[in-house]
Every structure is written in structure tokens, then in C-alpha cells.
Amino acid sequence: MVPVHNQRRTSSPRRKSPISCFSCLRPRRLFTLLKIALPLVFIICYTIYYLYDPRGHIDLVLYQRDWIQREILPLSPLGGCFEPERISPLYNISEAIHGKKRFEVQAGVTMRMGMDCYDFAGTIKFVEGEWTEEQQYIPPEERAQFHTYWRVDLARLDERQEYMLKSFFATQDLPRSRLILWSNGDLSPNPIVQKYLKLFPDSFALQIVDIPELAKGTPMESHRFLNLEDKKAWVDGDLVRLLVIWTYGGAWIDMDMLLTRDLSPLLEHEFVTQWDCYDKIYQAFNGALMHFHKHSPYLCEAFHLMAHSTPPRSPSTDWGAILYLRLWRRLLNESIPPFKILPFCLSDPLACRLDNSVPDPFDPDRRDGKWTGRPGEGLEEGGALDKALGKIFSVHLHNRWNRAFPQGGWVDRLLLRRYEEDIERKIRIAGEL
Ligand SMILES: *[C@@H]1O[C@H](CO)[C@@H](O)[C@H](O)[C@H]1NC(C)=O
Ligand SMILES: *[C@@H]1O[C@H](CO)[C@@H](O)[C@H](O)[C@H]1NC(C)=O
């Protein structure tokens, strides 16, 4: 008997490859296959979604491997700014670094669950009576210094920029604070600037940036990198903030921030902030809000690192986020207590997921989602958002200079209108004295 199974069933002499075999599926069979496969895929996906929480965040940045190998990973030695004989007499290291602190400003973990970050921010607060009003007059240059920068060649200082100034004068402890508005050209004829100079002469000042002058006495003095300038004001702005804090000490506040409360509880620490709640490996730190003391050895080391690195790419954060990270790692490498990193929401409550970020400041209020659900958890006065804003310190708007705040939206109601009221109250009190 001849077995039949080795007989060819088809007339084709060649074996079909899997690909060409796919095409041999007749449309009807293909249709049947899809009818089964698609619902199956859907059911599997839905089950996974139902059982598990697909907390994800897709953010793909490609870093060149040789750039990481060359610029990020190697730890060159620090410049010796922490050697006792090199620490400036203006910098009290036993107080600034080794001193006892009233508040803890780092949480140790990335607070991505619920409103944990906001609640943590709420712990950094003086208790009633702890922060007594001092009646004595403090000369402007002895007050807590705050710095911000506006480039006159990029845009006019207008209403949108004025909101930052308003937020400062409304929320800060003015008899103990001074804001210096830096610029690369004369801002004094600007009517907005004039208004606040007149209202708060001891708490507001203008200065023009002179980079070579500010860099004197630092490792960046007369450095060839000082002549770099970039269109988006990134490298330029990154350098200016380090130089002015070095010279005057104090906090830096980017112009695209709205302050929500008094920053004084933060000022016992030297710090930068967390970039966002995802702890990006090379982009972990942000300098939109930062604080260092005058002639801080941290800044001296930052200048040393800038002076001995490759020139910054433009535009880039090479003198911002990347520099802070490289510096921070070198400090650890030499067993020096590093500067602090404030959790993201303290200054940038838009830097996490939609469900734990404040609503977009430029979108009209929406009657859905996290903030508008149950009563008391909405966007109304005294509601959840209002309370959260009272715990954190600022809202970073990430430029977006061409956008306006919606009339009657949450920014308008919970921040801008209160700024007006608070400023009026401060003017009235000052008038009565
Ligand atoms: C530095 O700070 C400490 C602690 O606050 C203080 O006791 C000391 O007098 C300060 N030193 C100088 C030189 O001001
Ligand atoms: C610091 O980094 C250098 C270079 O990576 C390494 O050789 C050295 O051992 C490190 N020092 C300490 C104290 O970890």
C-alpha cells in the first residue's frame, strides 16, 4: 500500500513562505480571523486596564551616548571652593550648611500619589505667632533679596509680566524683602515699572545686567564664554541668575511665575527645584526658583565647572538643569552636603500628571475632572484648588507669553483679584503709618 500522506495536495512545486501564505488567505478567511482577533485583543486590553493601573508617561528624549559619556558621567574634581580658607567671610558655613533648620524641604521620594506633594508643601509653614512682625525698619540692601530678569529685546514688559510683579508685592513680606528687576536695557521709562517703584520704593529696584562686571572675582571672570548669547534667552538667563545671586545673595524667581504665598520659610536652605515629578535622569533639576546665599561656595563651584567644561550648546540647559546635576554629583563625590531640591509642586504644580496638577492656567474652567467633582473639592473660593495653592509657593507658567488668563477663570479669581486686594491693603496700611 502506498501511503497517501506524502502526496502533494497542491499543484505548486514550491513551498510558500509565511508572508506569501498570508496573502493566500482568502478575503473571507481573513475576515473571520479578524472577527475573532480584534475582540480578543480588546478584551485582553480592557482586562489589563481594569485590573491594573497603567500609570505611564511617554516622554522620549534621545541623548547622544557619546555626549553622556563625555559630559555627564565623568566626575571632574571640584574647584576647591569649600576649602575653609577659600570660603568668603560673607558666607557663614556653620549656619548655611551645618546649621539647624526649622523646616525639612525634601521628601525623599517622588510624591506622585494623589495630592501628597501639595500636602508636603503645607508642612513648610510657620505656626501662629512664630513669625512675629518686626516693627523696625530694615534698609533695602539688608533685606531678603529676590531677583528676576526681563530681556528688553525679546518683548515689552506688559500686563502679563506685571502679574509676576503683582504676585510678589501681594504675597511677600515687603518690610523684609526687596525685589530687583534685572534687565539688559533701561526699563525705567516703562509705566508699569514706574508704578511699583513709586508704590514700594524700598522693596523694589531696577538694575541693568553687566555680565563681565558681575563675573569679577569668580572663576568665570574674563572668560571667553561670557560673550555667548542665545535667542531664546536660555543660556544667557541661566548665567545671569547665578551671577546675580552670587553677588547679592537671595532667591531667583523667573518672570513666568505667579507666587502664591510668602517664600520666607524656604530661605534657610540653599536650593534648586525638581524639574517634574518623573525624575528625568539627566533633566532632574530646575532653576526657575532657586536660592543661595551671597558668595555661596556652591555657586563658586558652579562657575568653576562652567569655566572648565565645553561651551554650552544654544539653545540648551547646559548652564541650567545639566549644570546643576553635574555640580550636585561632584559635591556628593567629594562628600560635601549638596544643596536641596524642592519637590516639583512647590514651584511648578503643572509638572506632573493631569490628575494631580493644577488645571491649565490658560484654559477656561471645566466642570469635570479632579477639581470640580464633589462640593468643597472644586475650583471655588475655599475649595480644594484654593487650599492647594495656599500650600505651594508658586505656579510656573512656562512662558506662553502670548496667552491670556481667561476672564473669571481660576487664575483670575483665586490669584489675580486677590493680588489687587492685597496690594491695596498694603498701600492702605503703609499710608496709615
Ligand atoms: C555664623 O552662624 C552661627 C550660627 O548662627 C553664629 O553663632 C556665628 O556667630 C556666625 N558667625 C559669623 C562670623 O557671623
Ligand atoms: C570621585 O570620582 C572620581 C572619578 O569618577 C573617582 O575616581 C573617585 O573615587 C570619586 N571619589 C569618591 C570619594 O567617591
Side-chain angles (χ1 to χ4, degrees):
M1 259 198 357
V2 179
V4 288
H5 66 260
N6 63 353
Q7 276 185 322
R8 290 218 161 98
R9 282 182 203 165
T10 62
S11 55
S12 166
R14 283 182 296 126
R15 269 181 177 256
K16 299 225 167 186
S17 74
I19 289 174
S20 60
C21 200
F22 188 71
S23 66
C24 78
L25 278 174
R26 282 188 208 106
R28 266 205 34 209
R29 277 215 219 141
L30 188 67
F31 183 69
T32 318
L33 192 76
L34 285 180
K35 246 180 17 191
I36 299 167
L38 280 183
L40 206 66
V41 168
F42 177 79
I43 289 169
I44 292 172
C45 289
Y46 185 79
T47 312
I48 292 174
Y49 179 81
Y50 185 78
L51 291 177
Y52 300 97
D53 183 5
R55 282 291 156 86
H57 166 80
I58 299 172
D59 183 16
L60 186 68
V61 185
L62 297 177
Y63 293 97
Q64 283 178 358
R65 287 187 192 281
D66 74 314
W67 175 79
I68 295 166
Q69 288 293 339
R70 208 177 51 238
E71 303 289 335
I72 300 289
L73 298 181
L75 293 172
S76 57
L78 289 175
C81 300
F82 281 88
E83 277 159 27
E85 66 279 7
R86 284 201 44 201
I87 289 181
S88 160
L90 298 169
Y91 185 85
N92 186 340
I93 192 166
S94 47
E95 186 171 335
I97 298 184
H98 307 300
K100 192 173 171 330
K101 301 292 192 293
R102 169 71 179 79
F103 297 110
E104 179 55 80
V105 293
Q106 296 185 146
V109 291
T110 306
M111 297 170 284
R112 276 184 284 208
M113 257 191 279
M115 301 306 282
D116 290 357
C117 184
Y118 299 80
D119 294 339
F120 176 81
T123 66
I124 309 170
K125 195 177 182 110
F126 292 112
V127 293
E128 201 82 41
E130 191 180 1
W131 184 240
T132 50
E133 287 288 326
E134 214 169 301
Q135 295 302 319
Q136 227 176 9
Y137 175 81
I138 307 172
E141 54 285 351
E142 287 171 25
R143 301 175 180 198
Q145 306 290 308
F146 298 86
H147 309 271
T148 190
Y149 180 47
W150 187 246
R151 265 182 68 158
V152 291
D153 54 325
L154 284 191
R156 212 181 106 74
L157 191 149
D158 221 326
E159 195 189 358
R160 250 299 300 279
Q161 291 77 31
E162 182 183 0
Y163 288 131
M164 185 268 165
L165 303 178
K166 273 189 194 166
S167 80
F168 180 87
F169 296 117
T171 57
Q172 300 306 297
D173 183 10
L174 296 186
R176 285 189 245 222
S177 315
R178 176 169 72 161
L179 176 67
I180 304 180
L181 170 56
W182 293 87
S183 64
N184 59 346
D186 190 10
L187 277 177
S188 57
N190 184 302
I192 292 172
V193 169
Q194 278 182 359
K195 176 172 136 196
Y196 294 101
L197 282 173
K198 217 154 150 200
L199 282 176
F200 306 108
D202 290 340
S203 297
F204 189 38
L206 292 182
Q207 288 250 33
I208 291 179
V209 167
D210 179 350
I211 288 178
E213 185 62 32
L214 289 167
K216 278 197 180 142
T218 77
M220 285 298 280
E221 180 169 347
S222 314
H223 201 283
R224 66 196 160 91
F225 293 170
L226 292 187
N227 302 319
L228 303 168
E229 204 170 318
D230 70 315
K231 288 258 152 37
K232 269 187 139 176
W234 282 355
V235 172
D236 183 37
D238 286 338
L239 175 63
V240 167
R241 75 191 66 203
L242 298 178
L243 287 174
V244 303
I245 300 178
W246 164 263
T247 311
Y248 291 83
W252 180 272
I253 309 164
D254 267 356
M255 271 305 260
D256 61 345
M257 312 256 268
L258 293 176
L259 300 175
T260 60
R261 71 160 159 127
D262 186 4
L263 296 169
S264 16
L266 295 175
L267 302 183
E268 59 183 350
H269 292 282
E270 294 182 282
F271 62 81
V272 299
T273 67
Q274 192 187 15
W275 183 274
D276 60 19
C277 73
Y278 300 108
D279 273 339
K280 297 202 176 77
I281 177 162
Y282 307 121
Q283 195 87 326
F285 302 157
N286 196 322
L289 179 70
M290 56 158 67
H291 176 252
F292 289 93
H293 298 298
K294 187 172 178 166
H295 286 206
S296 169
Y298 291 121
L299 299 178
C300 168
E301 289 295 356
F303 297 130
H304 171 85
L305 193 51
M306 290 159 115
H308 294 89
S309 301
T310 51
R313 298 160 301 169
S314 175
S316 77
T317 57
D318 286 353
W319 278 0
I322 302 286
L323 178 81
Y324 313 143
L325 175 68
R326 294 171 70 223
L327 175 59
W328 192 81
R329 295 187 65 235
R330 280 161 177 76
L331 293 164
L332 300 184
N333 178 257
E334 302 199 10
S335 306
I336 292 168
F339 49 82
K340 305 283 178 179
I341 305 144
L342 301 191
F344 70 95
C345 75
L346 270 61
S347 60
D348 197 350
L350 286 161
C352 203
R353 294 182 314 268
L354 284 178
D355 64 290
N356 64 358
S357 293
V358 301
D360 192 287
F362 302 104
D363 286 347
D365 291 359
R366 297 203 333 214
R367 299 280 144 218
D368 63 343
K370 151 148 203 62
W371 301 98
T372 46
R374 284 157 283 173
E377 296 195 352
L379 303 176
E380 73 279 11
E381 313 234 322
L385 179 63
D386 198 2
K387 288 199 184 108
L389 292 173
K391 292 176 179 171
I392 62 172
F393 293 86
S394 76
V395 177
H396 190 186
L397 303 166
H398 296 273
N399 296 320
R400 296 194 275 176
W401 294 114
N402 54 358
R403 301 283 304 272
F405 303 113
Q407 273 276 325
W410 70 267
V411 175
D412 191 26
R413 285 179 290 113
L414 304 180
L415 297 175
L416 307 185
R417 287 186 202 167
R418 292 194 190 156
Y419 294 158
E420 304 285 351
E421 289 163 18
D422 288 342
I423 288 177
E424 265 170 39
R425 191 170 41 80
K426 285 183 179 179
I427 295 170
R428 215 172 38 243
I429 291 170
E432 284 163 9
L433 285 182

